[in-house]
Amino acid sequence: MSVKDRKWWRNGVVYQIYPRSFCDSNGDGIGDIPGIISKLDYLKELGVDIIWLSPVYASPNCDNGYDISDYRAIHPDFGTMDDMEMLIREAKIRDIRIIMDLVVNHTSDEHQWFKKAVEGDHKYKNYYIFKEGKNGKLPNNWGSFFGSDCWEKVPGEDNLYYLHLFDKKQPDLNWHNPAVYDEVCNILRFWLDKGIAGFRCDVINVLYKNSLEDGKKKIALTGLEYYHSTEGNHDILRRLREDVLSKYDCFTVGETVLVDTKMAMDLCGSDRKELDMVFGFEHMECDQIGIKWFKTKYRPKRLIKALDRWQHDMEWNANYFENHDQPRSVSRFGNDDEYHDISCKMLAGLLLSLRGTPYIYEGQEIGMTNGDFKDLSEMQDVESHTVDGTMKSLHFPDRLRDKLLKLTTRDNARTPMQWSGDVGAGFTKGTPWLKINANHAYINVEKQLKDDDSVLAFYKKMIAFRKDSETLQWGEYERLKSPENVYAFRRYTDDKNTVVICNMTAKKQPVWVQAVKTRENSELVLKFSNYLSDEDKASSDLFSFRPFEFCVFEEE
Ligand code: ISL
Ligand code: CA
């Protein structure tokens, strides 16, 4: 990558904070901004350069802040605007930048724009998407992202509905209206002027709806063809960049649902001047059948195939294995039992060796696992409750429903951060808003900080190793031949060659390491690994990769 393209947001390590679950400073059971401030040194120590802060705005919290009722106010649960400004300042002192979540496909139904709209104010009515029902039915047959229909009757009206692609408390904005565009530009400026370094843009490729016709019937998301990555949407992204974002030293990462690499390049290729990078979902789909609530057995080769495709096709990637919507990666792509630590470390090594900006989700750095929920009654996620209703109406057997919910609930990633083994996990002195995983007794920060061989210590070392490596940060990518469930690739510049090999399984795998050299008289020398002893690797050509073994070699 040429020196002029080596931007800070490309080699920066990003850490996502889900504020509710991170650190509670006042004992009300909810994580807050002062709590985050108290952990900045911890993040700095880890090697974090950029924090992505999930929503902290005013919100009735039907979708934990992804339903915003005031884009310029901080939710009192999280603190005050002074706290937010202090967070930005304190982070800056430590050379950490902050990006915020931009949620502008929809607002909360408690946003004053929506309230005025339903009161009949013409100006604000045009901020949202209203439509009459037809013949006693909903205005069209579209399906929501949360597995229900996506129209809700306007209170006090006989036959008027509003569109919501997510929950009914999240009405979609009307992006055909220039006033909506102007409002969003001003919101961006408001935060950028406060020192925010960019935005993670929520479902940013479904803003602009081409029409409201009936869609082709599908098991989920009927209607998608009318609003998915439309030309109008591309146009909005280009204008937001030109009019606002380009005036600041900031970047955007788009959450772009259901895109392949071609569509993703149209959203973030450098010639397009829209977004700077996007989160793809193909690798998140490797253990599901069609839609995310139907899980199938995880096969590493599917994950490898998806990662390889994105590594190969994209100019730049936003790499992640976890976020607040996904199950924990160790419970999914690793092993949260016998091989817990070693598989976490392998996933850490892989994430930090791929080409692109790495995103670590809170708790991933200590190997937090999926939640240990008894059943739906212990889950809070609005999506899980809606999907449960839909599965019930389709007569899914109870046991299957229960199993699917436990595997897919977004609460798997939202259980409070495990700072210590104490009651409250060092997260809170009160009653946590969501059940703390019982395994905080032995998976926690306090314990891992004292252990040089912990998952946390490995993250630290691997981040430092990456920051020292020209090839891992800036090199090109090429996949190498390897057994089916082993992921092998090289990262290279004109004069340096780094080979990364990951055994993605709990079984031993034989690999001919020296066979992938690029020069005849050279040797691949082991530089980094997730196993402590590595004598055999240094001396032989063919060696057996142990369960979840991860190694980095340099050609010398
Ligand atoms: O269906 C999906 C991908 O194929 C979803 O995971 C999708 O990414 C998700 O539902 C959209 O997520 C974002 O917007 C939602 C919010 O609930 C999520 O937490 C947020 O990450 C609505 O704002
Ligand atoms: Ca609190």
Side-chain angles (χ1 to χ4, degrees):
M1 170 147 295
S2 75
V3 174
K4 89 169 181 2
D5 292 326
R6 296 184 175 195
K7 308 271 201 250
W8 57 266
W9 40 264
R10 290 209 157 114
N11 63 339
V13 171
V14 189
Y15 186 93
Q16 182 191 352
I17 292 182
Y18 195 67
R20 276 187 97 68
S21 303
F22 191 62
C23 180
D24 172 22
S25 71
N26 61 351
D28 66 355
I30 300 172
D32 46 50
I33 296 173
I36 299 173
I37 297 174
S38 74
K39 298 295 181 187
L40 286 173
D41 288 333
Y42 164 80
L43 296 178
K44 184 69 196 170
E45 256 306 276
L46 180 60
V48 169
D49 305 293
I50 302 166
I51 291 171
W52 152 21
L53 196 61
S54 275
V56 287
Y57 313 97
S59 161
N61 276 329
C62 105
D63 189 15
N64 289 352
Y66 283 87
D67 48 325
I68 299 171
S69 53
D70 185 348
Y71 291 90
R72 291 180 179 81
I74 299 295
H75 194 297
D77 284 352
F78 296 134
T80 61
M81 190 58 88
D82 283 348
D83 293 329
M84 185 63 202
E85 284 165 359
M86 162 115 78
L87 172 61
I88 300 170
R89 262 198 322 274
E90 288 293 322
K92 194 164 178 213
I93 291 171
R94 292 164 179 83
D95 221 3
I96 296 177
R97 307 193 208 216
I98 299 182
I99 66 168
M100 291 179 89
D101 232 293
L102 179 75
V103 188
V104 290
N105 173 67
H106 42 267
T107 69
S108 162
D109 65 343
E110 296 181 33
H111 195 290
Q112 56 155 330
W113 300 337
F114 191 74
K115 286 189 184 159
K116 287 188 183 155
V118 297
E119 281 161 14
D121 183 324
H122 276 298
K123 172 173 174 204
Y124 291 103
K125 219 159 171 191
N126 202 21
Y127 273 41
Y128 295 90
I129 304 174
F130 293 97
K131 197 171 159 60
E132 310 253 291
K134 53 174 190 205
N135 315 322
K137 290 207 293 228
L138 300 177
N140 70 23
N141 66 353
W142 294 9
S144 86
F145 279 82
F146 288 165
S148 64
D149 65 63
C150 48
W151 292 98
E152 183 68 14
K153 207 175 250 177
V154 178
E157 293 273 355
D158 277 350
N159 193 31
L160 190 65
Y161 295 80
Y162 64 87
L163 177 76
H164 60 89
L165 288 186
F166 292 86
D167 190 65
K168 61 174 188 247
K169 284 186 67 63
Q170 295 166 302
D172 279 47
L173 284 164
N174 174 17
W175 276 91
H176 288 252
N177 179 358
V180 167
Y181 176 81
D182 292 343
E183 295 273 13
V184 171
C185 287
N186 288 333
I187 292 165
L188 290 176
R189 289 191 193 101
F190 176 85
W191 287 107
L192 289 164
D193 288 339
K194 285 200 185 289
I196 285 299
F199 298 93
R200 176 270 188 187
C201 310
D202 192 62
V203 289
I204 200 71
N205 61 329
V206 301
L207 305 183
Y208 189 90
K209 284 81 180 172
N210 275 342
S211 91
L212 297 174
E213 289 162 61
D214 274 343
K216 209 169 123 238
K217 201 90 192 93
K218 295 203 287 268
I219 28 170
L221 295 176
T222 297
L224 187 77
E225 62 274 31
Y226 292 113
Y227 60 80
H228 186 248
S229 299
T230 55
E231 227 3 88
N233 208 108
H234 287 297
D235 184 53
I236 290 164
L237 294 177
R238 272 192 293 268
R239 283 162 48 218
L240 285 176
R241 183 174 180 128
E242 194 178 317
D243 295 345
V244 185
L245 296 159
S246 63
K247 315 265 195 282
Y248 296 82
D249 182 20
C250 69
F251 79 102
T252 52
V253 48
E255 189 214 21
T256 51
V257 287
L258 304 159
V259 295
D260 58 23
T261 52
K262 158 95 187 44
M263 293 166 167
M265 277 301 285
D266 285 347
L267 289 155
C268 70
S270 54
D271 55 325
R272 304 278 303 179
K273 304 212 172 349
E274 297 186 23
L275 299 161
D276 292 307
M277 57 182 120
V278 303
F279 291 125
F281 282 85
E282 268 189 73
H283 66 302
M284 289 285 139
E285 288 159 9
C286 68
D287 59 351
Q288 72 192 36
I289 321 172
I291 48 176
K292 66 181 238 191
W293 306 296
F294 298 153
K295 286 277 174 202
T296 175
K297 192 174 149 48
Y298 159 64
R299 285 200 214 84
K301 67 175 182 185
R302 284 186 68 185
L303 177 62
I304 297 170
K305 200 169 160 198
L307 290 174
D308 173 56
R309 185 177 308 126
W310 282 69
Q311 287 288 299
H312 176 269
D313 293 357
M314 298 299 291
E315 226 175 84
W316 194 253
N317 286 279
N319 295 314
Y320 73 100
F321 292 150
E322 289 186 21
N323 62 34
H324 63 293
D325 291 335
Q326 299 289 339
R328 290 286 184 176
S329 59
V330 61
S331 302
R332 193 177 181 188
F333 307 139
N335 175 304
D336 58 14
D337 192 15
E338 185 184 352
Y339 296 112
H340 175 274
D341 283 19
I342 206 73
S343 67
C344 284
K345 292 175 187 172
M346 182 277 289
L347 290 167
L350 172 56
L351 179 73
L352 290 150
S353 303
L354 290 170
R355 184 164 190 278
T357 306
Y359 288 75
I360 298 165
Y361 177 67
E362 63 180 43
Q364 183 178 344
E365 77 278 22
I366 54 167
M368 279 179 61
T369 66
N370 277 349
D372 52 354
F373 305 108
K374 181 170 73 109
D375 55 36
L376 185 70
S377 68
E378 288 184 339
M379 301 175 196
Q380 306 255 0
D381 178 12
V382 60
E383 180 186 85
S384 306
H385 286 268
T386 312
V387 167
D388 182 66
T390 305
M391 290 200 278
K392 266 188 191 140
S393 68
L394 295 171
H395 306 290
F396 273 54
D398 288 353
R399 278 189 40 203
L400 178 62
R401 217 161 20 92
D402 184 66
K403 184 175 158 201
L404 290 176
L405 284 174
K406 283 184 182 151
L407 284 171
T408 63
T409 180
R410 300 186 301 178
D411 283 347
N412 278 322
R414 299 175 181 183
T415 60
M417 180 73 186
Q418 297 169 194
W419 295 104
S420 76
D422 304 341
V423 181
F427 161 73
T428 184
K429 292 207 162 58
T431 310
W433 73 277
L434 182 68
K435 184 180 160 183
I436 294 173
N437 196 317
N439 66 19
H440 74 279
Y442 52 94
I443 300 177
N444 63 63
V445 172
E446 190 176 63
K447 179 163 170 244
Q448 295 196 17
L449 279 173
K450 291 186 205 135
D451 175 3
D452 246 10
D453 189 30
S454 64
V455 175
L456 180 60
F458 186 82
Y459 263 91
K460 246 184 239 180
K461 283 183 237 168
M462 186 63 212
I463 291 173
F465 182 77
R466 177 188 171 91
K467 287 186 174 171
D468 254 2
S469 164
E470 161 107 1
T471 43
L472 291 189
Q473 290 182 92
W474 304 114
E476 298 302 317
Y477 162 92
E478 185 190 23
R479 182 167 180 190
L480 300 170
K481 269 215 175 101
S482 61
E484 190 169 74
N485 291 319
V486 172
Y487 189 16
F489 55 90
R490 67 186 188 107
R491 302 288 317 280
Y492 61 99
T493 57
D494 285 347
D495 53 0
K496 285 195 198 112
N497 191 33
T498 302
V499 171
V500 178
I501 302 181
C502 305
N503 176 3
M504 312 280 285
T505 71
K507 292 201 189 97
K508 285 192 169 181
Q509 304 272 359
V511 184
W512 284 98
V513 172
Q514 303 299 341
V516 295
K517 290 189 305 199
T518 60
R519 285 175 282 126
E520 240 176 52
N521 297 325
S522 65
E523 206 184 326
L524 287 170
V525 180
L526 182 68
K527 293 287 167 170
F528 203 83
S529 145
N530 61 344
Y531 274 82
L532 287 180
S533 96
D534 35 46
E535 298 92 41
D536 44 337
K537 303 265 175 321
S539 58
S540 77
D541 281 2
L542 169 72
F543 53 78
S544 156
F545 266 73
R546 289 163 280 190
F548 298 106
E549 184 154 4
F550 159 82
C551 292
V552 183
F553 300 87
E554 248 140 51
E555 188 163 7
E556 290 180 353

